[in-house]
Amino acid sequence: MALNARLDHRNPLVFDTHELGRRPGALQRLTRTVDAPQDLGIAGVVGVPEGAPVELELRLESVMEGVLVTGTARAKAEGECVRCLEPLELELQADFQELFSYPDADDRGRVIAEPGDDAEDDEDRLFLEDGMFDLEPVLRDAVVLALPMQPVCQEDCPGLCSACGARLADDPDHHHDAVDIRWAALQGLADTMSDGEKDEMSGAEPGVDEKQEK
């Protein structure tokens, strides 16, 4: 059973549901601003910096099986443009919904004598512990799904020059003269021949030009 281990009520991402009781239909709305935990996002790509404010709006609803948590998280994410490698910042909104089950109830809300008898059913379920739940794993999954896998500073970012690495957005007219590799060898041969002709002319016998003039 995927029970939360030793939840600390002082953790800002741990919430208490005792006010709801086990009364199906009871509702509770919460707003809370918390510091972003470490590694909240897509590692090495984009994410919410550790300690940055994350605004949470939650709706807790008591149901037969447990407590249904529906919410929205808002924060500013930082990363690097995959095209031009410039730093970027974007507004993040992540929506989520998760059911935290009562440890002593099955998926239909019926009380069971030995919780966790069906390991396969319990494997993907989250459970309340002493009436509390930890929102962090749900928040992490929601943020990853809401973030772009390939963030860009702007939709039409032209990226970097493949030849020299210059940022093309800074110089729209940036270009390099293209050289056809099929003619490169012939050009080199022509240059060699031109150098040889110059050497021959520079080595001509003295007085030849004078005789031609006479």
Side-chain angles (χ1 to χ4, degrees):
M1 181 184 295
L3 283 172
N4 299 313
R6 299 192 182 97
L7 294 184
D8 185 352
H9 69 277
R10 295 169 297 181
N11 184 332
L13 287 172
V14 170
F15 292 82
D16 192 329
T17 68
H18 284 100
E19 186 176 323
L20 292 173
R22 295 185 68 158
R23 305 185 306 273
L27 293 175
Q28 184 179 9
R29 296 183 184 275
L30 299 172
T31 58
R32 183 180 295 182
T33 299
V34 302
D35 293 340
Q38 186 178 10
D39 300 326
L40 183 60
I42 305 172
V45 180
V46 62
V48 181
E50 182 179 2
V54 179
E55 297 178 2
L56 299 174
E57 293 182 5
L58 303 179
R59 179 179 183 270
L60 280 55
E61 180 181 2
S62 178
V63 296
M64 291 292 294
E65 304 93 328
V67 176
L68 181 65
V69 179
T70 305
T72 299
R74 295 182 178 87
K76 287 186 178 180
E78 298 178 359
E80 186 179 80
C81 178
V82 296
R83 296 179 187 171
C84 68
L85 308 182
E86 287 293 309
L88 59 81
E89 184 176 87
L90 54 87
E91 296 292 335
L92 167 71
Q93 176 173 313
D95 300 319
F96 50 86
Q97 185 174 72
E98 187 68 47
L99 174 65
F100 290 86
S101 301
Y102 296 124
D104 60 349
D106 64 11
D107 57 3
R108 295 184 180 180
R110 298 173 300 190
V111 175
I112 52 180
E114 295 294 335
D117 284 345
D118 193 337
E120 292 185 2
D121 289 345
D122 289 346
E123 184 176 354
D124 297 325
R125 295 170 65 190
L126 295 176
F127 290 85
L128 294 168
E129 180 183 331
D130 296 330
M132 297 186 295
F133 67 86
D134 184 2
L135 189 65
E136 184 171 338
V138 176
L139 178 62
R140 287 188 179 280
D141 290 345
V143 167
V144 169
L145 291 175
L147 288 170
M149 295 296 294
Q150 295 186 319
V152 291
C153 58
Q154 55 188 21
E155 291 299 327
D156 58 349
C157 175
L160 303 176
C161 174
S162 59
C164 67
R167 188 169 182 263
L168 298 178
D170 295 334
D171 183 8
D173 297 326
H174 180 87
H175 71 282
H176 295 272
D177 294 332
V179 178
D180 193 328
I181 60 174
R182 294 173 298 178
W183 296 103
L186 292 177
Q187 182 61 45
L189 179 60
D191 292 342
T192 302
M193 293 178 64
S194 297
D195 292 341
E197 291 176 356
K198 291 179 181 178
D199 292 341
E200 291 179 0
M201 292 181 64
S202 63
E205 295 180 2
V208 172
D209 293 340
E210 296 179 359
K211 293 180 181 179
Q212 290 178 350
E213 291 177 0
K214 291 180 180 180

